[in-house]
Protein backbone atom coordinates (compact mmCIF):
# COMPACT_ATOMS: atom_id res chain seq x y z
CA UNK A 1 0.00 0.00 0.00
CA UNK A 2 1.27 3.46 -0.90
CA UNK A 3 2.11 6.03 1.74
CA UNK A 4 -1.01 7.85 2.80
CA UNK A 5 -1.88 10.83 4.92
CA UNK A 6 -4.85 11.44 7.13
CA UNK A 7 -6.90 14.50 7.91
CA UNK A 8 -8.98 15.28 10.94
CA UNK A 9 -12.66 15.99 10.73
CA UNK A 10 -15.41 16.59 13.21
CA UNK A 11 -16.98 13.34 14.35
CA UNK A 12 -20.33 15.12 14.47
CA UNK A 13 -20.33 16.17 10.82
CA UNK A 14 -23.69 14.45 10.28
CA UNK A 15 -25.24 16.86 12.79
CA UNK A 16 -24.26 20.03 10.90
CA UNK A 17 -27.36 21.75 9.48
CA UNK A 18 -25.86 21.98 5.98
CA UNK A 19 -25.07 18.27 6.01
CA UNK A 20 -28.57 17.47 7.31
CA UNK A 21 -30.02 19.32 4.30
CA UNK A 22 -27.64 17.38 2.04
CA UNK A 23 -28.76 14.08 3.62
CA UNK A 24 -32.45 14.97 3.25
CA UNK A 25 -32.00 15.63 -0.46
CA UNK A 26 -29.40 13.01 -1.49
CA UNK A 27 -29.19 10.53 1.38
CA UNK A 28 -26.04 8.51 1.98
CA UNK A 29 -25.01 8.98 -1.67
CA UNK A 30 -24.74 12.74 -1.14
CA UNK A 31 -22.85 12.26 2.12
CA UNK A 32 -20.41 9.89 0.43
CA UNK A 33 -19.91 12.30 -2.47
CA UNK A 34 -19.25 15.09 0.02
CA UNK A 35 -16.43 13.04 1.56
CA UNK A 36 -15.07 12.06 -1.88
CA UNK A 37 -14.83 15.77 -2.67
CA UNK A 38 -13.20 16.59 0.69
CA UNK A 39 -10.57 13.87 0.13
CA UNK A 40 -9.84 15.22 -3.35
CA UNK A 41 -9.59 18.77 -2.01
CA UNK A 42 -6.94 17.66 0.48
CA UNK A 43 -5.04 15.92 -2.32
CA UNK A 44 -5.21 19.03 -4.52
CA UNK A 45 -4.32 21.82 -2.09
CA UNK A 46 -8.02 22.68 -1.57
CA UNK A 47 -8.57 23.57 -5.22
CA UNK A 48 -10.62 21.58 -7.72
CA UNK A 49 -11.88 22.52 -11.16
CA UNK A 50 -15.64 22.79 -11.54
CA UNK A 51 -15.72 19.88 -13.96
CA UNK A 52 -19.00 18.17 -13.12
CA UNK A 53 -18.64 15.63 -15.92
CA UNK A 54 -15.13 14.64 -14.81
CA UNK A 55 -16.09 14.44 -11.15
CA UNK A 56 -19.21 12.43 -12.01
CA UNK A 57 -17.04 9.95 -13.91
CA UNK A 58 -14.47 9.70 -11.09
CA UNK A 59 -17.15 9.24 -8.43
CA UNK A 60 -19.47 7.08 -10.55
CA UNK A 61 -22.40 9.44 -9.97
CA UNK A 62 -24.53 11.65 -12.20
CA UNK A 63 -23.54 15.22 -13.00
CA UNK A 64 -26.73 16.75 -11.55
CA UNK A 65 -26.09 15.19 -8.14
CA UNK A 66 -22.44 16.30 -8.18
CA UNK A 67 -23.50 19.82 -9.12
CA UNK A 68 -26.09 19.87 -6.36
CA UNK A 69 -23.64 18.67 -3.68
CA UNK A 70 -21.17 21.38 -4.69
CA UNK A 71 -23.63 24.24 -5.22
CA UNK A 72 -26.81 23.78 -3.20
CA UNK A 73 -25.75 23.46 0.45
CA UNK A 74 -23.18 26.22 1.06
CA UNK A 75 -20.54 23.57 1.77
CA UNK A 76 -17.96 24.86 -0.72
CA UNK A 77 -16.55 28.18 -1.89
CA UNK A 78 -16.72 28.71 -5.65
CA UNK A 79 -14.27 31.07 -7.31
CA UNK A 80 -14.54 31.26 -11.07
CA UNK A 81 -14.04 27.80 -12.51
CA UNK A 82 -12.65 26.36 -9.26
CA UNK A 83 -13.91 25.48 -5.82
CA UNK A 84 -12.63 24.62 -2.35
CA UNK A 85 -13.65 24.43 1.29
CA UNK A 86 -13.11 26.95 4.08
CA UNK A 87 -12.76 24.19 6.67
CA UNK A 88 -10.25 22.27 4.53
CA UNK A 89 -8.27 25.48 4.08
CA UNK A 90 -8.22 26.09 7.84
CA UNK A 91 -7.10 22.53 8.55
CA UNK A 92 -4.35 22.64 5.91
CA UNK A 93 -3.04 25.86 7.47
CA UNK A 94 -3.14 24.26 10.91
CA UNK A 95 -1.26 21.17 9.66
CA UNK A 96 1.48 23.33 8.16
Amino acid sequence: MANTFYFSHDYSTRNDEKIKRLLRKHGALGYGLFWFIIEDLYNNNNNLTLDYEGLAFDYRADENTISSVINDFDLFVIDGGFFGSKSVEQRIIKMQ
Side-chain angles (χ1 to χ4, degrees):
M1 184 171 162
N3 288 339
T4 186
F5 297 96
Y6 71 94
F7 61 89
S8 65
H9 73 84
D10 300 330
Y11 61 85
S12 61
T13 301
R14 278 187 309 113
N15 295 316
D16 181 277
E17 288 302 315
K18 295 173 187 178
I19 296 295
K20 284 182 179 183
R21 288 188 359 254
L22 171 73
L23 285 163
R24 280 195 299 270
K25 183 166 184 181
H26 297 296
L29 171 63
Y31 193 62
L33 292 170
F34 168 77
W35 284 113
F36 281 5
I37 292 167
I38 294 296
E39 290 173 356
D40 278 351
L41 286 171
Y42 273 100
N43 284 319
N44 291 280
N45 202 31
N46 194 36
N47 192 37
L48 290 175
T49 304
L50 276 175
D51 175 10
Y52 304 117
E53 181 180 8
L55 293 170
F57 176 79
D58 286 348
Y59 304 153
R60 306 307 190 258
D62 68 272
E63 289 181 52
N64 290 334
T65 304
I66 298 294
S67 175
S68 177
V69 170
I70 293 169
N71 293 292
D72 294 347
F73 304 98
D74 197 30
L75 295 166
F76 302 101
V77 177
I78 298 171
D79 184 12
F82 299 90
F83 73 103
S85 164
K86 287 181 184 178
S87 63
V88 169
E89 180 180 353
Q90 292 168 350
R91 287 181 172 98
I92 288 173
I93 291 169
K94 188 176 179 179
M95 286 186 325
Q96 293 172 344

